[in-house]
Amino acid sequence: DIQMTQSPSSLSASVGDRVTITCRASQGISNYLAWYQHKPGKSPTLLMYATSILQPGVPSRFRGSGSGRDFTLTIVSLQPEDVATYYCQKYNSAPWAFGPGTKVAIK
Amino acid sequence: EVQLVESGGGLVQPGGSLRLSCAASGFTFNNYTMNWVRQAPGKGLEWLSDISFSSRTVNYAESVKGRFTISRDNAKNSLFLQMNSLRVDDTAVYYCVRKKFGPDCLDSWGQGILVTVSS
């Protein structure tokens, strides 16, 4: 089975900073990669799929890129409401594995 | 508005069984693949199982294969997860999740329900 890794496991940045999270698949998954945001006390939400297509309602400061094995989630200008754990997930084939998550905090 | 409401969680002893239910509303349930995802305390998200709209195709994570069974009743807009031989490390919040129509990612999540396995 394909394994997903993420780095860093956590980060702290200032409001307005550019934040980058990376996700790596153990094998190529083309662009079958989604990102989720999980805020404390809430259910996870889908941020984007197909590496870079934003779900309706997701702010444009969230951007995705990559293909094959390496992917990136960028928050162009970090906002207080972006405090959350972010997960990547591959969906080229079952099992639909998640990465271990990256916790984002405000400095 | 899409609504997914889980029920059936609670405290169970190791080796015991529990059946989770998910009541779906606000969309045409029998058009969508449905999933169960869990989050253990202090851990990340773990995909567990999915079932196609017709129940013809099911998939399981290795961690629950042979112990958990996913099923659905399209007439009642309901999803189920039968959990047998429960272990302490099955303790988690369990989410009922809809798969997006088209790309196989997860676009609507229930509020989650806590399952605690403890003696």
Side-chain angles (χ1 to χ4, degrees):
Chain A
D1 293 345
I2 296 174
Q3 310 299 319
M4 307 299 292
T5 57
Q6 287 181 234
S7 61
S9 57
S10 65
L11 65 89
S12 180
S14 299
V15 173
D17 282 355
R18 185 182 187 96
V19 167
T20 299
I21 299 168
T22 62
C23 173
R24 170 167 282 189
S26 59
Q27 299 174 39
I29 58 171
S30 184
N31 71 334
Y32 295 105
L33 193 282
W35 289 97
Y36 300 85
Q37 179 188 61
H38 192 186
K39 294 185 178 182
K42 299 286 186 79
S43 298
T45 59
L46 176 64
L47 277 180
M48 68 182 74
Y49 59 95
T51 300
S52 61
I53 300 176
L54 294 183
Q55 264 295 84
V58 173
S60 58
R61 64 179 178 274
F62 290 93
R63 297 184 186 171
S65 64
S67 70
R69 292 182 59 197
D70 295 306
F71 302 86
T72 299
L73 171 67
T74 300
I75 308 174
V76 172
S77 176
L78 186 67
Q79 300 302 303
E81 60 267 32
D82 299 335
V83 168
T85 300
Y86 293 85
Y87 296 90
C88 61
Q89 185 201 27
K90 65 101 173 172
Y91 60 91
N92 60 315
S93 62
W96 321 105
F98 289 95
T102 296
K103 189 172 184 179
V104 174
I106 299 289
K107 195 180 292 183
Chain B
E1 179 195 3
V2 174
Q3 284 206 324
L4 299 166
V5 179
E6 301 92 343
S7 60
L11 175 64
V12 61
Q13 291 190 337
S17 298
L18 211 56
R19 189 190 195 212
L20 301 184
S21 300
C22 171
S25 60
F27 65 102
T28 305
F29 182 72
N30 60 13
N31 282 352
Y32 288 84
T33 293
M34 297 298 296
N35 296 253
W36 290 98
V37 174
R38 72 183 178 186
Q39 183 177 35
K43 304 291 186 181
L45 300 175
E46 181 185 15
W47 173 83
L48 298 179
S49 181
D50 70 352
I51 183 168
S52 64
F53 65 93
S54 64
S55 301
R56 186 170 299 176
T57 302
V58 297
N59 295 293
Y60 294 97
E62 281 299 323
S63 59
V64 302
K65 198 176 290 186
R67 299 189 300 125
F68 290 11
T69 303
I70 193 171
S71 62
R72 65 191 295 162
D73 183 340
N74 286 341
K76 295 183 178 179
N77 290 343
S78 295
L79 177 71
F80 306 101
L81 186 67
Q82 177 66 43
M83 304 185 293
N84 298 331
S85 303
L86 282 162
R87 310 189 294 227
V88 171
D89 63 358
D90 291 318
T91 295
V93 173
Y94 286 72
Y95 293 98
C96 168
V97 193
R98 187 183 80 170
K99 188 165 279 187
K100 191 175 176 69
F101 199 79
D104 288 332
C105 49
L106 307 174
D107 71 343
S108 295
W109 296 64
Q111 84 284 357
I113 193 153
L114 179 63
V115 171
T116 303
V117 185
S118 174
S119 55

